[in-house]
Amino acid sequence: MDFLLSGAAACGACLFTNPLEVVKTRMQLQGELQSGGSYRVHYRNAFQATYTIWRVDGLLALQKGLLPALLYQFCMNGIRLGSYSLIESSGYTSTKGRVSAAKSTVSGALAGVAGALLASPVYLVKTHLQAQSASAIAVGHQYQHEGTLHALMTIYRRHGITGLWRGSSSAVPRVIVGSAAQLSTFSTTKQLTNDLQIFQPGSWLVSLTAGMVSSVFVVLAMTPFDVISTRLYNQPVDQEGKGVFYRGFLDCFAKTMRKEGLHGLYKGTGASYFRLGPHTILSLFFWEEICKYYRK
């Protein structure tokens, strides 16, 4: 039940934040491996990008990739938050009744790895679908998938079962960093808020405050890994299924730094916060409240 409740909480958050995920994906692919000033900037910031996608691709384009996004959130966060909930309730994240930053960080990182690997194929499809756009505002490699099932079958027919897990090497460091930062800061902030008695014990405002603080740390720590992950998943491949642009995580990191500098690793930071921030807040808030309601 912990796993089901956690997955439901993440899906609830995804319904609100998927348009921001579309914006984030495109901003991270914009100007890929090109120096500043050498390419046309379609997306200047999160707000202008949202308007541009709406104007050119239509309102529904802001929900592109929603089905694989929901499947990814249910699988990945169901396992991640469910596992962390079990670890936390067993007392492994605490020392003498107090939340241990080191233990909660390690627990959060480990809880995220299995979920990320299992859900990697739908994350791959999600990235492809969200990058697809009209040629006037296209960025990154453009796939021609007709939907989630069509994309999965096309990738499988061309590159086999291993093709569905292409780019998964970037999912592990991305989720380890993001999950560790998110769950450790959420637990620590929640405990501190309760200690200071800012709100009534058990109030939903405790969870909301902890989620807001946690989201800042998640975005700062996770954005470079998120950029690399998006690019590895979206890059074109040759007949053997090998990436045309990058050989792997470290190669993508090195090429991005060399061509675009540190700015390249933080492309779409604003969009990342507007997506990761609300998603972190909503998913952790829903998770906390659903679990409390179920336990009652």
Side-chain angles (χ1 to χ4, degrees), residues 6-7 10-11 14 68-78 275 279:
S6 301
C11 287
C14 183
L70 289 171
L71 291 172
Y72 175 75
Q73 291 298 330
F74 187 82
C75 292
M76 198 277 280
N77 279 312
R275 182 264 167 188
H279 187 86

Side-chain angles (χ1 to χ4, degrees), residues 177 181 214-225 266 269 273 276:
V177 171
S214 176
S215 65
V216 176
F217 288 93
V218 172
V219 172
L220 291 176
M222 192 175 174
T223 296
F225 296 89
Y266 276 92
T269 300
Y273 181 77
L276 284 171

Side-chain angles (χ1 to χ4, degrees), residues 29-222:
L29 292 171
Q30 182 171 244
E32 185 175 13
L33 297 181
Q34 300 178 64
S35 57
S38 64
Y39 59 90
R40 184 178 178 185
V41 179
H42 298 296
Y43 310 111
R44 293 191 297 274
N45 55 62
F47 301 105
Q48 182 268 342
T50 301
Y51 172 72
T52 299
I53 294 169
W54 185 345
R55 177 174 56 83
V56 179
D57 285 342
L59 181 60
L60 291 180
L62 290 169
Q63 284 289 12
K64 277 194 172 183
L66 179 60
L67 177 57
L70 289 171
L71 291 172
Y72 175 75
Q73 291 298 330
F74 187 82
C75 292
M76 198 277 280
N77 279 312
I79 293 173
R80 185 176 70 95
L81 295 179
S83 299
Y84 186 81
S85 180
L86 292 176
I87 294 170
E88 187 178 44
S89 62
S90 299
Y92 291 117
T93 61
S94 303
T95 301
K96 296 180 180 179
R98 303 286 297 176
V99 174
S100 168
K103 289 182 178 179
S104 59
T105 298
V106 173
S107 298
L110 294 176
V113 172
L117 289 176
L118 180 64
S120 187
V122 287
Y123 190 91
L124 174 69
V125 171
K126 175 193 75 69
T127 305
H128 290 183
L129 292 176
Q130 290 177 339
Q132 283 183 202
S133 65
S135 58
I137 57 171
V139 293
H141 183 71
Q142 294 289 296
Y143 291 89
Q144 301 302 318
H145 301 314
E146 297 174 7
T148 302
L149 184 60
H150 175 265
L152 289 169
M153 293 303 297
T154 299
I155 296 168
Y156 176 74
R157 282 197 298 267
R158 291 179 181 175
H159 307 295
I161 192 70
T162 56
L164 292 172
W165 266 267
R166 175 165 49 87
S168 59
S169 62
S170 66
V172 174
R174 173 183 177 273
V175 170
I176 285 177
V177 171
S179 185
Q182 182 188 63
L183 295 176
S184 61
T185 54
F186 180 74
S187 297
T188 304
T189 304
K190 188 171 67 171
Q191 179 178 269
L192 180 61
T193 304
N194 285 324
D195 289 345
L196 295 175
Q197 298 181 349
I198 299 174
F199 306 112
Q200 291 291 329
S203 170
W204 61 272
L205 290 170
V206 175
S207 301
L208 183 61
T209 301
M212 291 174 68
V213 173
S214 176
S215 65
V216 176
F217 288 93
V218 172
V219 172
L220 291 176
M222 192 175 174

